Structure formats: structure tokens, C-alpha cells
């Protein structure tokens, strides 16, 4: 066993206290175990492996922005695992670290699992030493040992366990290796461990402060030593917490100790930090005696991915490749669901509801074309989510944030602010909440206000149907250009806000680049399926309710003598209101009431735009389909499905081919809705419509998230300038496109 040098020394906990604490853990019927570690060490992956849960996993800092809980049964006991945000330190400098530290103080955990990156021990162990200042049994998961071996590192888990005085278990969480043993050791073998002994003057102050805390029942007993050290470090959040709870005498005692230490020439903050860093270095050398690492594959790949000139073009090319893959593979299934399958279901419904004309009109003329049109884009979203999850979990998205750091700093932000913007490509609502990971309030407000310009997945069905209708051979390029335009407008507004109402507050942020990892296909599928299922859930709730309301408004006559459910659409209440609003959009090229009417319910959810367009353009012709027998319909559906599978598979090899600047491989045959849109729009007016959909308010849920995070004023100001920006941009695009197309 390697002998550690005496300074800064070690602190072995009281044997009786240690035994009592460990016995309490073993006797607990429902132990609460918190999982703590640096960002990107695999905490969430480990919990998913242990508990079989599906918590979100992403290969960048800040994915877990709130503590989350998983429940499992182990050896007849209910166990609660709390997934805490990644933290480099429990002296909080970021919202993630504050959440983690608060949970350690308030949750009173029965045990802690500290997840370490086996390839970056010295950096990770600083947090470990802070955890040892709590009187909570600790077990260590030495994760990512496979990646450490790839670097040429040999980690001695047994030596690290002896030096820390706690169980250390090697794990590869992504493959479930060692996770069962880890949980067993955490519940039955975790101990208080061997902490850091600080200089004598500081230890004397800590002893006095903890003695005072022992007389204060309102303070968590497991955190006395940590709180004493935090007071000596001058931690403002701890001081504020104690001041707010009436512990002013304790603060006065800490100030007296600090004054005495200052008189002796002792800077407590520096001494405590140096003692921890020295101890972390000693522990790392014990665990990895030969720390000479060879050049990794990640480092070699980063020479290209992070190249100052090639990095950003490569990122944009990868995004384009994602859209080409999405169009090529998913288009046959979009045509299948929006065509033959929808016709089959309509025929069955017409046959079943022959004797109920009003119900038939609602189901066949509204619900099936409205909801069915939205659901037809599920294959597109599934392929997109698979591709985006691959980029996220592989570690590339963290590189994208790093690449954007220079551009973001030009508008007073940093690369870390790009992460919520990337999340906005999926859904703007969680992206707004993800701004909590940004340290400065002005950054959080600014990023939240520009986030709605990032094109969320709910807008994608609108892009796809218009691309198929008006730009069948260049659809992926049109969609790619819309995503880039959204980013450009977001950055322009960020610059404007920085120079007017939200000036930069200064300060820097650490941005970590995790190693490249090849994601497990099972994990990718879970992520993509969960996101697609969420979209489908909205289709059967929000979209279903909206199309029902639109059908009712289309059925209500707005002219004298009109009859319910038989009035021409343009003379319905919906048609007349849409006609009243449509002159506002006439300069944009789409002043017809059908296009305008679809934008209004789009405030509820963007996917409703496609559903409403399908209902308006297809409702009348879909309301009277030929009744279809069960067997005939099933045969038609099976044949069409097999044709779609063959078309999708044959399209895969052509994804990388870019003839004629990337002609799409999707078929030129249009779905009924695409054919109707091709007759109603010109290429110029279609582009203007797409730009308006891109830039106007994404949905009412995003507005609610903005109001919840930053207040109603910020929310409504964002809505106002988005509407103005969408109108102006669509007008300019229409005028330019008219002259070029």
C-alpha cells in the first residue's frame, strides 16, 4: 500500500459515530441515495442502468438541471435514487451546483454515490473531498474505466478505496457493468471515509463552530462540518441561508474566527482549497501510479471537428446531412400515412358511421384529415430525433457549443449559452427551462427571449408538407435554410438586446468537452421514441381538441339562411373571421383566408397549422369517401406499407449523393394536402409562409414558460417582437423571391 505524505494530512472520523451512521443506513427501510459527480461522468446513465429508468441522458454539461428521482427494489427494500445536476464543486458558482449543494443539505440522504470519471481522477476528487466533509456514508463509482484504459491508464480501485476509506467499484454504466455491485456496496458497505485535515488554526475554528451548531436543532446534523468550512470560506449562499433562518450569532462567531485567522496571516479560503487540491493530487497518484496517457481518438477527431476554419462548415454540413437523411428515409412513410392509410381509415369510418351523418362529418371530414395529417409526420420526427440523439450522446453537440463560443462572445454570451439553443431544435419549452444552467441572470433572460426563433420540431411538419408541395427536389435544402435563418435572426436579436436593454454582466464559464462515445442503439431508440411519443400525445390531445373546435367554427354559419354543417367554408364563422384578418397578410403573398386561418390556431401548437390546413383543404373532399370493407382496407394498407418500406430502404444509399446541389430522393408524387397547397401557393408565397411560421410565436406553452421563468412582461415583449419580426421578414422574403423565382 502506498503511503501518503503527511501534509495536508487526513481526518479519520470518530469510530463510534461512523458505526452508528452506517448502521442507520443498513437499517433504513427506504434509503434515499443521492448520486453526485462532475458533469459528463455518467450519473444519469448509471441510474438508468441500476433502476431501469429512462431519465434523459445527454453528453454535455447541464442536461440535468433539476434533481430527479428513480425508484427501485433491492433485496426487498425500496430504494430511492436522486440524480443531482453535475457539479465541479459544492461551493456553488452555477445553478446546477447550487441545486446539488441544496439537495445535500436538505434531503438528508442516507448514502451518497459519488460517480468519478476514471480518466480524470484528480479533477473529480475535489468534489469527493467536499462530500467527505458531510457525515453521510459514501461509496464511489469509478465509471468510464473502459475509456481510461483506451487512454493507456491503469486505475487501481483497491488502492483508491484504501486511501479514501470508502468502497470503490469499477463501472461502465453504459453497458451496465458493475452497477449491481455498486448498489450493494452503497447500501451495505458505504462509510464516512477519510477526509482532509486542514491546518490546525482552521481545524480549531471548525471544531468551535460545529460545537455551536450541535446546540442548534434547526441545522442538519450531517452537514455541520461542511457548513463550518463553508463559513470560513466565505460562501455567500451559506451565509445568506443562515442569516435568513436567524442564525446571526453563528455568523458572528465565524466572522470572529476569520478575523483571528487574518491576524495570524491565514487566508482560510486559500488554505482550504489548497489542502483539497493537494489531497486530490495525492489520491490520483495513488490510484494511477503511471499517469502518462497516450493520444486518444477524441483528440485526433477534434483536430478536424474543432478546426477554426473547418469546424463550423462541418457542423452545418452535418445538420444538412441530418435533414437529407430525414427526408430520404422518412418521406415514403409520410406519404403512406397521409395517403393510403388515411384513406383506409376514412373508408372504414365512413362505413361504420353511415347512419350518423353528423358524427361522420366530424370524424371523416375533420378529425381524420386534421389529426391524421399531423400524425403522418411521426416518421420524419422519429428519424430526426434518432439523428439528433446520436449527435448529442456521441459528444459532438458539446463541440458545436465550443465552436460557437467565439461567435457567441461577439454578442456577449459564451458557448455554454448555445446548449439551450440547440435544445430548442427539439422543443422550445424545456429549452427555456434549460437556461437555468446559465450563471448570469441577463444571459438567462436574453437566451430565453431569442430561443423562440430556434425552429422546434413542431414546425417541421409545416416545412415538410410545403417542401413536398412546392420544392419537391430541394426540400432538405429549404428546411436547412430555415433552421439557419432562425439561428441568424436569434443572434441578431441577441446583439440588439445586448446593446440596449440587457448588457453583459461579465465573468467567464468553464465549458467541458467530453470524449467521443459511440451511443448504444437501445439508448438512442429510447430517446427518439420518447420524444416522438410526446409529439403523438399532443396530436391526440391538443391537435384533436383544436381540429374539433375548428370543425365547429367551420360548421357554424356566419350568413343569414346558412345551415349548420352544410354552410360553405368561406361563409362559416371560421371563414369570415379568417377573411377579416387575411388583409394583414396580403403583402406577404398569402392573403387567402385558408392560409391565414391556419396560423391562428398555430398559437396553441405549431403542429396544429398542418392539421388545420389538412382540415380546410381536405375536409370537404374527405367528408364523403367511399365506404371500405375491413379486408379490402387491410389489404390496401399492407400493400402500401410494403411499398413504403422498399422505397425507404432504397433511399438510404443516396443520402450522401449531392447531384444538382442536393436533389431530394423523395418521390415527386404528392399527398392530397401537398397537391392542394401546390395549387394554392406560389413558390414565393410558400417561402414567405414558411418564414412567418418559423419566426412567429411558437406556442402558448413557450409563452407560459417564459412568464414562469422571467415574468409576464418578458413573455409578452417576446411575443410582440416575434410577431413584428415574422411579418417583416416574410414580407422581405416574398418581395425578393418574387423577383428571383
Amino acid at each position: 500500500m502506498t503511503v501518503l505524505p503527511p501534509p495536508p494530512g487526513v481526518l479519520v472520523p470518530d469510530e463510534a459515530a461512523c458505526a452508528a451512521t452506517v448502521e442507520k443506513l443498513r437499517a433504513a427501510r427506504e434509503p434515499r441515495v443521492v448520486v453526485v459527480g462532475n458533469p459528463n461522468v455518467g450519473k444519469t446513465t448509471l441510474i438508468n442502468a441500476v433502476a431501469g429508468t429512462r431519465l434523459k441522458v445527454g453528453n454535455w454539461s447541464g442536461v440535468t438541471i433539476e434533481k430527479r428521482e428513480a425508484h427501485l427494489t433491492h433485496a426487498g427494500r425500496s430504494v430511492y435514487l436522486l440524480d443531482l445536476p453535475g457539479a465541479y464543486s459544492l461551493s456553488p458558482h452555477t445553478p446546477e451546483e447550487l441545486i446539488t449543494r441544496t439537495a445535500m443539505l436538505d434531503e438528508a440522504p442516507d448514502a451518497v454515490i459519488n460517480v468519478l470519471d476514471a480518466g480524470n481522477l484528480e479533477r473529480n476528487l475535489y468534489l469527493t473531498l467536499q462530500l467527505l466533509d458531510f457525515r453521510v456514508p459514501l461509496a464511489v463509482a469509478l465509471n468510464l474505466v473502459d475509456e481510461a484504459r483506451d487512454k493507456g491508464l491503469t486505475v487501481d480501485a483497491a488502492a483508491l478505496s484504501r486511501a479514501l476509506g470508502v468502497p470503490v467499484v469499477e463501472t461502465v454504466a453504459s453497458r451496465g457493468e458493475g452497477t449491481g455491485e455498486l448498489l450493494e456496496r452503497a447500501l451495505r458497505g458505504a462509510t464516512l471515509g477519510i477526509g482532509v485535515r486542514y491546518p490546525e488554526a482552521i481545524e480549531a475554528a471548525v471544531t468551535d463552530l460545529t460545537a455551536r451548531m450541535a446546540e442548534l436543532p434547526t441545522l442538519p446534523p450531517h452537514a455541520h462540518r461542511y457548513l463550518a468550512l463553508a463559513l470560513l470560506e466565505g460562501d455567500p449562499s451559506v451565509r445568506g441561508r443562515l442569516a435568513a433562518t436567524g442564525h446571526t450569532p453563528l455568523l458572528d462567531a465565524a466572522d470572529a474566527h476569520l478575523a483571528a485567522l487574518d491576524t495570524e496571516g491565514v487566508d482560510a479560503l486559500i488554505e482550504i482549497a489548497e489542502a483539497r487540491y493537494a489531497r486530490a493530487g495525492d489520491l490520483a497518484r495513488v490510484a494511477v501510479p503511471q499517469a502518462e496517457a497516450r493520444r486518444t481518438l477524441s483528440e485526433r477527431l477534434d483536430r478536424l471537428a474543432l478546426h477554426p476554419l473547418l469546424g463550423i462548415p462541418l457542423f452545418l454540413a452535418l445538420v444538412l446531412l441530418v435533414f437529407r437523411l430525414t427526408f430520404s428515409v422518412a418521406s415514403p412513410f409520410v406519404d403512406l400515412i397521409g395517403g393510403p392509410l388515411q384513406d383506409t381509415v376514412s373508408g372504414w369510418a365512413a362505413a361504420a358511421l353511415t347512419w350518423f351523418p353528423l358524427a361522420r362529418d366530424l370524424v371523416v371530414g375533420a378529425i381524420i384529415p386534421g389529426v391524421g395529417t399531423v400524425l403522418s409526420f411521426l416518421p420524419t420526427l422519429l428519424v430526426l430525433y434518432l439523428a439528433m440523439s446520436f449527435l448529442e450522446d456521441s459528444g459532438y453537440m458539446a463541440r458545436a457549443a465550443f465552436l460557437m463560443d467565439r461567435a457567441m462572445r461577439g454578442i456577449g454570451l459564451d458557448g455554454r449559452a448555445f446548449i439551450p439553443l440547440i435544445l430548442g431544435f427539439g422543443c422550445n419549452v424545456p429549452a427555456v427551462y434549460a437556461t437555468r444552467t446559465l450563471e448570469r441572470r441577463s444571459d438567462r433572460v436574453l437566451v430565453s427571449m431569442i430561443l423562440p426563433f430556434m425552429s422546434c420540431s413542431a414546425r417541421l411538419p409545416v416545412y415538410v408538407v410545403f417542401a413536398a408541395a412546392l420544392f419537391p427536389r430541394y426540400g432538405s435544402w429549404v428546411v436547412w435554410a430555415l433552421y439557419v435563418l432562425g439561428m441568424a435572426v436569434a443572434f441578431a436579436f441577441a446583439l440588439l438586446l445586448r446593446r440596449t436593454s440587457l448588457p453583459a454582466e461579465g465573468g467567464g464559464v468553464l465549458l467541458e468537452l467530453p470524449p467521443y462515445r459511440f451511443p448504444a442503439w437501445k439508448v438512442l431508440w429510447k430517446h427518439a421514441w420518447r420524444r416522438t411519443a410526446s409529439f403523438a400525445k399532443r396530436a391526440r390531445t391538443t391537435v384533436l381538441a383544436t381540429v374539433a373546435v375548428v370543425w365547429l367554427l367551420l360548421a357554424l354559419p356566419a350568413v343569414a339562411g346558412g345551415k349548420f354543417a352544410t354552410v360553405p367554408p368561406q361563409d362559416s364563422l371560421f371563414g369570415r373571421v379568417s377573411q377579416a384578418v387575411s388583409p394583414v397578410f396580403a403583402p406577404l403573398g398569402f392573403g387567402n383566408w385558408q392560409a391565414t386561418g391556419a396560423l391562428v390556431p398555430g398559437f396553441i401548437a405549431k403542429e396544429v397549422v398542418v392539421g388545420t390546413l389538412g382540415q380546410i383543404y381536405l375536409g370537404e373532399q374527405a367528408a364523403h369517401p367511399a365506404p371500405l370493407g375491413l379486408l379490402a382496407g387491410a389489404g390496401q394498407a399492407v400493400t402500401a406499407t410494403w411499398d413504403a418500406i422498399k422505397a425507404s430502404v432504397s433511399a438510404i444509399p443516396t443520402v450522401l449523393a449531392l447531384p444538382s446541389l442536393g436533389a431530394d430522393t423523395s418521390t415527386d408524387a404528392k399527398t392530397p394536402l401537398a397537391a392542394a397547397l401546390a395549387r394554392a401557393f406560389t413558390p414565393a408565397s410558400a417561402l414567405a409562409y414558411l418564414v412567418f411560421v418559423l419566426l412567429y410565436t411558437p406556442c402558448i406553452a413557450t409563452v407560459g414558460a417564459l412568464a414562469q421563468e422571467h415574468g409576464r412582461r418578458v413573455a409578452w415583449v417576446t411575443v410582440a417582437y416575434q410577431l413584428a419580426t415574422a411579418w417583416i421578414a416574410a414580407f422581405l422574403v416574398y418581395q425578393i423571391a418574387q423577383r428571383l423565382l
Side-chain angles (χ1 to χ4, degrees), residues 283-306:
L283 290 168
R285 285 186 288 274
V286 167
V288 190
Q290 298 176 342
E292 179 116 10
R294 57 174 174 257
R295 191 177 186 82
T296 64
L297 176 62
S298 290
E299 292 170 336
R300 293 194 292 270
L301 290 175
D302 280 342
R303 295 184 65 181
L304 175 63
L306 301 180

Side-chain angles (χ1 to χ4, degrees), residues 260-564:
L261 290 170
D262 186 59
T263 302
E264 298 176 20
V266 177
D267 188 320
L269 175 62
I270 293 177
E271 293 287 350
I272 292 172
E274 286 183 348
R276 287 176 182 151
Y277 280 120
R279 174 72 171 152
D282 293 336
L283 290 168
R285 285 186 288 274
V286 167
V288 190
Q290 298 176 342
E292 179 116 10
R294 57 174 174 257
R295 191 177 186 82
T296 64
L297 176 62
S298 290
E299 292 170 336
R300 293 194 292 270
L301 290 175
D302 280 342
R303 295 184 65 181
L304 175 63
L306 301 180
H307 193 280
L309 297 179
L310 300 178
I312 291 181
L314 176 62
F315 169 67
L316 295 176
L318 282 174
V319 174
L320 176 61
L321 180 62
V322 167
F323 290 133
R324 284 188 55 77
L325 177 69
T326 300
F327 271 73
S328 300
V329 175
S331 288
F333 292 100
V334 173
D335 297 339
L336 167 71
I337 298 173
L341 291 187
Q342 189 168 311
D343 293 342
T344 298
V345 174
S346 295
W348 284 343
L353 299 173
T354 302
W355 304 104
F356 306 96
L358 192 61
R360 183 194 61 199
D361 291 346
L362 172 61
V363 174
V364 180
I367 292 177
I368 292 178
V371 177
T373 300
V374 175
L375 292 179
S376 69
F377 295 99
L378 290 180
T380 301
L381 293 173
L382 180 62
V383 176
L384 176 66
Y385 287 145
L386 278 171
M388 296 300 291
S389 293
F390 182 88
L391 294 180
E392 292 173 9
D393 292 356
S394 67
Y396 181 75
M397 282 304 191
R399 270 76 183 174
F402 182 86
L403 285 170
M404 295 303 298
D405 184 72
R406 182 176 301 177
M408 300 291 282
R409 289 189 184 279
I411 54 177
L413 294 168
D414 54 62
R416 184 166 175 165
F418 192 58
I419 292 175
L421 297 180
I422 294 175
L423 295 177
F425 287 146
C427 179
N428 290 164
V429 176
V432 170
Y433 294 130
T435 60
R436 298 173 184 173
T437 63
L438 303 179
E439 182 177 355
R440 300 181 291 270
R441 182 183 181 277
S442 65
D443 291 356
R444 295 194 292 271
V445 174
L446 187 148
V447 173
S448 295
M449 292 183 73
I450 65 173
L451 255 172
F453 288 126
M454 308 304 287
S455 188
C456 64
S457 60
R459 296 172 169 111
L460 186 60
V462 186
Y463 304 160
V464 172
V465 72
F466 272 87
L470 281 306
F471 314 100
R473 297 187 59 80
Y474 303 97
S476 59
W477 286 89
V478 171
V479 176
W480 176 79
L482 288 168
Y483 276 73
V484 173
L485 176 62
M487 292 171 58
V489 173
F491 291 162
F493 264 93
L495 184 61
L496 175 64
L497 292 171
R498 265 294 183 241
R499 295 185 175 180
T500 54
S501 57
L502 291 170
E505 297 176 8
V509 176
L510 175 66
L511 187 64
E512 182 184 10
L513 295 181
Y516 289 101
R517 294 163 183 151
F518 196 88
W521 289 112
K522 182 179 179 181
V523 174
L524 293 181
W525 178 258
K526 284 182 179 179
H527 293 173
W529 182 257
R530 178 175 53 82
R531 294 175 176 179
T532 307
S534 176
F535 183 90
K537 182 179 179 180
R538 292 200 302 271
R540 70 172 187 260
T541 54
T542 304
V543 178
L544 177 61
T546 303
V547 297
V549 171
V550 171
W551 174 84
L552 178 62
L553 295 177
L554 283 167
L556 289 172
V559 294
K563 294 184 179 180
F564 182 79

Side-chain angles (χ1 to χ4, degrees), residues 688-700:
Y689 196 81
L690 289 175
V691 169
F692 192 88
V693 169
L694 164 70
L695 298 179
Y696 90 108
T697 310
C699 64
I700 196 65

